[in-house]
Amino acid sequence: MASDQATTPPPPPLPEIQSHDLSQVIVLHPPPVFNYFKDLFSKKFHLLKAWESPLPLHEFLTNHAHSAQAMLCSGTGPSISADIIRLLPSLRLVATTSAGLNHIDLTECRNRGISIANAGEVFSEDVADLAVGLLIDVFRKVSASDRYVRHGLWATKGDYPLGSKLGGKRIGIVGLGSIGFQVAKRLEAFGCNISYNSRKRKDFVSYPFYTNVCELAANSDVLIICCGLTEQTRHMINREVLLALGKEGVIVNIGRGAIIHEKELVQCLVQGEIGGAGLDVFENEPDVPKELFELDNVVLAPHMAVFTTESFKDLCDLMIGNLEAFFSKKPLLSPVMNE
Amino acid sequence: MAHGIIYNHLDLPQVLVVRPPDSFSLYQSQYSHKFHFLKAWESPVPLDQFLSTNARNVQALLSCGRFPINVDLLRLLPSLRLVVTPSAGLNHIDLSECHSRGVAVANAGSVACCDVADLAVGLFIDVLRKISAADRYVMQGLWASKTSYPLGSKLKGKRIGIVGLGSIGQEVAKRLEAFGCSISYNSRNQKKSFSYPFYSNVVELSANSDALVICCGLSDQTHRLINKEVLLALGKEGVLINVGRGAIIDEKEMVQCLVQGDIGGAGLDVFENEPNVPKELFALDNVVLSPHRGAFTSETLTSMREIAVGNLEAFFSNKPLLSQVTDD
């Protein structure tokens, strides 16, 4: 069924616009950006929307996505596993709306010569802003004292307990990539001292570098987890690291939940082995360990570090730009080097 | 300055305390070997009687933010030469009355300004990125049962209007610049050492800002400075942050603007009638409420205590005060 695009105005979005003029993009599960900007994508591409089909995923892919060269995915929904990739013989590009890549079988992509594009640095500032916001919240008890006021306790119970000063605190950044660097820049303006651990030392900064995350923790008042989730970083923040951080220490995680050994984190918080936490990510979202709900020194966010109107629009433009570049055989805007 | 100090039987200089400042017990425990604190609130007799009996020769007073130092009190203290307040704020002290009586005033200087600035920025991020609202959302179990959380607003590129570019305002500006915000300000006087755009009129500042951060002190000039006109100029997406004093804002108008959506949100550490907070604000997710904790970190409280004591010691040893308030 070919739609007559030459002479008629664009039709309103219908569930199935089928046009041989639009390039196919397979989408397994709607990325969060679709909640706001789906139409921008469906106007330019023929979206094969697996989640809308009654067919099981493998059947849908086999029957309908045989010639799809590009995929749009996100951190939510099914992982882009080797099994799924094998059902897409024409696939040459995986574009993910996330910065993180842990949901994609990178080895399989590398072996098949499939390019990857991600969100690049589109989110780095927003994520850094949230990391700092969570840190200030924990140190200065912003959400806890807001609750106190809303429950009418300021008038009846008196002054809220004291917070802790940010200035002069030693910040240990785990992963000094684009996000970690933005966090460092902000916290320097608060008079904090920055150190870091990263895969490799970064020559463009003069912050002290620690090869070992435990040693970083021992020399820090705060740990901010800014790295991606890989085999090396899974459960990297364990009880040993948390105990090194200490009873006054605070941890902020805007990376991935599984970088921290969540069970051990909860135990340390409940037992007072560390001083507090600001968490945007969890091992098994959207499940959050209920023990954390009782703790006033813990601030919880629903994986929202990238959720601003401005960034979502930028992300939309970037993803469409990547797909358009791919289909016109031009260089991708935000390719991932998959070594 | 001739003191003619009359010591009590312990030979320690007397310091009058009408109502105790925060953590007064620490002043008592750490400094009772240096000063004799005359604790008016512990007496069963009325204040004026207590003072005429006990405080005729008292030269120094350690103030508490909640008790006004006005002509009624000063009249009862003929020997008073120094008022020390552990706060930065001075609105509880009649400065001109002190001045005309030759009573010096010392405050906490800029010891608290970084902490207050940190909280101002924390409140701003919270409102823009909905941190406290999201924390409630997660704890109510809504993350699992609902679709994705509403979008917040990016900090970078936001135009910040700072009302009062004193020590606190300057620290707020420095921090928000690191987030990529642009800074403008209104102040009593233009500050030549800063290149931020200066607006002589706070309505104009508001009209050209995405957020107003109130960092000034409370005075006759700033009382209800932030009125309906200023709030409407700030606009439906605009955010109001107050770490100064509640009465700088026309609170009734502000509440109405928030409830009606005439401004976009607010982060408030101070209120007109603390600890009372307008109940209408409790229902609003775009408002963050803080119980006047701007300067209240344990580190800064210690610094405030130390500087207050330092001022008292300087006075009693005939040395220059550490942080005397001058007319500027």
Side-chain angles (χ1 to χ4, degrees):
Chain A
M1 174 168 50
S3 74
D4 188 355
Q5 286 210 335
T7 55
T8 57
L14 295 169
E16 289 168 75
I17 298 175
Q18 289 186 356
S19 165
H20 299 300
D21 292 339
L22 297 182
S23 306
Q24 287 185 333
V25 177
I26 173 75
V27 187
L28 304 186
H29 185 86
V33 77
F34 269 22
N35 289 332
Y36 305 91
F37 298 114
K38 186 168 78 171
D39 291 348
L40 292 182
F41 288 88
S42 49
K43 279 198 186 93
K44 292 185 180 250
F45 309 105
H46 176 197
L47 301 176
L48 304 174
K49 288 171 269 182
W51 77 93
E52 286 188 349
S53 168
L55 296 174
L57 179 59
H58 287 209
E59 243 183 271
F60 177 88
L61 295 181
T62 307
N63 293 347
H64 297 284
H66 199 265
S67 1
Q69 297 185 39
M71 168 186 284
L72 181 67
C73 67
S74 74
T76 54
S79 290
I80 314 307
S81 61
D83 284 343
I84 287 184
I85 294 171
R86 278 179 207 134
L87 293 170
L88 297 164
S90 306
L91 191 65
R92 308 241 53 67
L93 170 70
V94 173
T96 177
T97 60
S98 57
L101 302 167
N102 51 292
H103 55 296
I104 301 171
D105 189 329
L106 300 174
T107 309
E108 189 72 18
C109 287
R110 192 184 321 124
N111 293 342
R112 289 170 175 269
I114 296 172
S115 304
I116 302 175
N118 73 344
E121 299 191 357
V122 128
F123 296 137
S124 302
E125 288 157 338
D126 279 351
V127 177
D129 291 350
L130 189 74
V132 175
L134 288 171
L135 181 62
I136 300 176
D137 196 325
V138 176
F139 261 62
R140 301 299 299 276
K141 308 179 188 298
V142 177
S143 291
S145 62
D146 174 84
R147 275 196 291 282
Y148 186 78
V149 174
R150 279 170 203 264
H151 289 136
L153 297 174
W154 190 16
T156 55
K157 275 183 80 176
D159 287 333
Y160 195 74
L162 300 175
S164 183
K165 190 180 183 67
L166 234 70
K169 292 296 189 294
R170 302 163 301 165
I171 312 292
I173 297 188
V174 181
L176 200 72
S178 154
I179 293 171
F181 179 69
Q182 294 293 332
V183 172
K185 202 173 81 165
R186 283 150 177 70
L187 288 174
E188 281 191 296
F190 288 78
C192 297
N193 300 306
I194 313 293
S195 301
Y196 71 106
N197 164 257
S198 218
R199 272 174 304 194
K200 293 192 279 273
R201 188 189 288 264
K202 310 274 174 176
D203 292 324
F204 62 91
V205 295
S206 56
Y207 309 135
F209 171 71
Y210 287 83
T211 48
N212 172 310
V213 78
C214 212
E215 229 189 297
L216 178 70
N219 288 283
S220 298
D221 303 302
V222 175
L223 276 189
I224 307 191
I225 313 306
C226 301
C227 57
L229 175 62
T230 63
E231 276 167 32
Q232 291 76 43
T233 63
R234 180 175 294 278
H235 285 190
M236 176 170 71
I237 309 302
N238 55 20
R239 187 176 164 81
E240 189 194 358
V241 175
L242 295 169
L243 292 181
L245 184 59
K247 289 184 189 299
E248 305 294 320
V250 171
I251 188 158
V252 172
N253 190 3
I254 41 81
R256 284 288 179 269
I259 296 166
I260 300 181
H261 193 303
E262 196 162 276
K263 231 174 174 169
E264 290 178 357
L265 172 68
V266 173
Q267 199 173 55
C268 283
L269 283 163
V270 167
Q271 292 173 349
E273 304 282 11
I274 64 169
L279 309 169
D280 186 47
V281 284
F282 304 86
E283 284 208 49
N284 187 26
E285 297 168 13
D287 296 331
V288 174
K290 300 282 179 299
E291 299 93 314
L292 299 180
F293 293 5
E294 310 296 319
L295 303 175
D296 264 356
N297 58 346
V298 177
V299 183
L300 306 166
H303 200 153
M304 63 176 198
V306 306
F307 278 37
T308 66
T309 320
E310 295 88 342
S311 279
F312 264 42
K313 183 60 175 57
D314 289 346
L315 176 69
C316 188
D317 293 344
L318 180 66
M319 287 296 120
I320 290 175
N322 273 306
L323 290 165
E324 287 182 330
F326 171 76
F327 288 120
S328 19
K329 300 200 182 352
K330 294 206 177 90
L332 296 173
L333 303 184
S334 50
V336 172
M337 296 309 143
N338 187 6
E339 303 117 35
Chain B
M1 178 169 26
H3 283 203
I5 297 168
I6 298 196
Y7 294 114
N8 61 15
H9 68 283
L10 289 172
D11 242 10
L12 294 176
Q14 285 189 323
V15 177
L16 174 64
V17 187
V18 177
R19 294 278 180 280
D22 289 285
S23 39
F24 178 72
S25 54
L26 291 172
Y27 284 91
Q28 184 86 74
S29 60
Q30 288 173 16
Y31 301 108
S32 51
H33 62 292
K34 293 191 182 220
F35 310 108
H36 176 211
F37 293 107
L38 210 56
K39 291 172 280 186
W41 77 92
E42 285 187 346
S43 167
V45 311
L47 179 64
D48 48 355
Q49 202 181 319
F50 176 87
L51 295 181
S52 40
T53 311
N54 298 290
R56 295 208 65 77
N57 297 315
V58 157
Q59 300 203 11
L61 180 151
L62 176 64
S63 154
C64 150
R66 294 183 195 94
F67 192 86
I69 311 297
N70 55 20
V71 63
D72 293 332
L73 178 69
L74 293 167
R75 193 181 293 133
L76 300 169
L77 299 169
S79 306
L80 194 68
R81 287 279 152 279
L82 172 67
V83 169
V84 175
T85 178
S87 59
L90 297 165
N91 51 290
H92 58 298
I93 300 174
D94 187 336
L95 293 173
S96 56
E97 190 66 31
C98 286
H99 184 77
S100 54
R101 286 168 179 269
V103 176
V105 178
N107 69 346
S110 55
V111 123
C113 67
C114 287
D115 277 353
V116 178
D118 291 350
L119 186 67
V121 175
L123 289 171
F124 181 57
I125 303 175
D126 194 325
V127 176
L128 248 65
R129 299 299 302 276
K130 307 178 188 299
I131 297 179
S132 293
D135 185 60
R136 282 195 287 279
Y137 178 85
V138 173
M139 291 208 290
Q140 285 163 22
L142 296 172
W143 189 9
S145 56
K146 288 199 171 167
T147 49
S148 56
Y149 194 71
L151 299 179
S153 184
K154 195 178 185 70
L155 258 76
K156 179 176 178 170
K158 290 295 188 289
R159 302 163 302 162
I160 310 294
I162 297 189
V163 181
L165 200 68
S167 325
I168 296 172
Q170 289 164 29
E171 293 294 336
V172 171
K174 192 170 88 173
R175 283 151 177 72
L176 288 175
E177 281 192 297
F179 290 81
C181 297
S182 58
I183 311 292
S184 302
Y185 72 104
N186 165 259
S187 219
R188 271 173 303 190
N189 309 301
Q190 185 156 5
K191 310 269 177 176
K192 295 285 160 60
S193 49
F194 293 94
S195 57
Y196 309 132
F198 170 74
Y199 286 84
S200 51
N201 174 308
V202 80
V203 175
E204 229 190 299
L205 176 71
S206 188
N208 288 283
S209 298
D210 301 307
L212 278 187
V213 185
I214 314 304
C215 302
C216 56
L218 176 62
S219 64
D220 290 336
Q221 291 75 43
T222 63
H223 188 257
R224 303 252 166 111
L225 176 67
I226 310 303
N227 55 21
K228 185 165 176 155
E229 192 188 2
V230 174
L231 295 170
L232 292 181
L234 185 58
K236 289 184 186 305
E237 305 295 320
V239 171
L240 180 64
I241 305 295
N242 190 4
V243 292
R245 283 288 179 271
I248 296 167
I249 299 178
D250 185 331
E251 195 164 276
K252 229 173 173 168
E253 289 294 352
M254 176 192 68
V255 172
Q256 200 170 57
C257 283
L258 282 163
V259 166
Q260 292 173 352
D262 289 325
I263 63 171
L268 309 166
D269 186 44
V270 284
F271 304 86
E272 279 199 26
N273 186 26
E274 297 169 14
N276 300 309
V277 174
K279 303 271 182 306
E280 300 91 314
L281 299 180
F282 294 0
L284 302 177
D285 261 357
N286 58 344
V287 177
V288 182
L289 305 165
S290 172
H292 201 153
R293 296 283 84 182
F296 288 84
T297 64
S298 35
E299 294 91 336
T300 287
L301 229 60
T302 301
S303 300
M304 284 167 132
R305 199 159 52 242
E306 286 171 355
I307 207 174
V309 167
N311 276 301
L312 289 167
E313 287 181 318
F315 172 74
F316 287 119
S317 354
N318 257 337
K319 294 203 177 91
L321 296 174
L322 304 182
S323 45
Q324 181 164 8
V325 175
T326 51
D327 307 318
D328 79 3

